Amino acid sequence: MRLTCCSSVSSEEYVSTLTAAPTAVPTNVGGGDGKVGELHMTWTPLTQAQYGAPGLGYKLYWRLHRNTSDGMWEKHVMSGSASKYVAFVGKDNYYLEYDFKLQAFNARGDGPNTTEVIVMSAEDSSAVVAVFVVVVVEVVVVVVVRVVVVVVVVVVVVVVVVV
């Protein structure tokens, strides 16, 4: 980084500041939504003042929440000031909890990890529709059975009264 200043001694001086690995972490870490088979991960990126040195990027880590004992994380490295990444976790892995964390890095090294958060993979909308249809069918069956019972009771009462 170069700062330009003027003084009475010299018309222009250049001052170089030292560079370092990022010391800040991205904020608003989260995610969710998307299509079946996707895990959407989001964050607010570092500001330019927080870069610390050129070459900013992010290292993303995620794993199924229930697999915390084996310690195996999936990893993706991306360059630039991004704020979202979509991982393909497979169509069978819908509406599951994932642990997610990330860290900024630059040409001087890695910054600290964010706190782990839980992010849900996308929900299978066809499963939701199927559950909704089953519930509606069950409600219709219950209503029809009640109507049949009422009709039978009415017929029995009419027969008893007539006889």
Side-chain angles (χ1 to χ4, degrees):
M1 171 185 255
R2 289 187 179 221
L3 300 174
T4 304
C5 66
C6 298
S7 72
S8 61
V9 177
S10 167
S11 64
E12 196 173 277
E13 291 182 32
Y14 292 98
V15 177
S16 293
T17 58
L18 298 176
T19 59
T23 57
V25 295
T27 57
N28 300 317
V29 178
D33 296 327
K35 297 177 184 174
V36 174
E38 295 178 349
L39 177 63
H40 286 232
M41 296 169 273
T42 60
W43 61 93
T44 300
L46 299 184
T47 64
Q48 193 168 6
Q50 296 172 318
Y51 287 10
L56 180 73
Y58 295 97
K59 294 179 182 178
L60 290 74
Y61 303 91
W62 68 94
R63 65 180 173 195
L64 272 172
H65 181 63
R66 64 178 181 244
N67 287 346
T68 57
S69 61
D70 69 8
M72 299 299 294
W73 291 86
E74 298 291 329
K75 178 181 176 183
H76 179 76
V77 178
M78 53 194 318
S79 298
S81 184
S83 62
K84 181 177 184 177
Y85 179 71
V86 178
F88 296 96
V89 294
K91 291 195 179 265
D92 294 335
N93 293 324
Y94 58 87
Y95 206 60
L96 295 176
E97 292 182 331
Y98 283 82
D99 298 317
F100 168 51
K101 64 182 179 179
L102 75 152
Q103 69 182 148
F105 70 89
N106 62 27
R108 294 296 303 251
D110 294 339
N113 285 329
T114 62
T115 302
E116 290 177 25
V117 297
I118 294 177
V119 176
M120 298 297 293
S121 60
E123 187 173 358
D124 183 1
S125 59
S126 63
V128 172
V129 170
V131 168
F132 177 72
V133 168
V134 167
V135 169
V136 168
V137 168
E138 287 177 356
V139 168
V140 168
V141 168
V142 168
V143 169
V144 167
V145 167
R146 287 183 180 171
V147 168
V148 167
V149 168
V150 169
V151 168
V152 168
V153 169
V154 168
V155 168
V156 167
V157 169
V158 168
V159 167
V160 169
V161 169
V162 171
V163 175

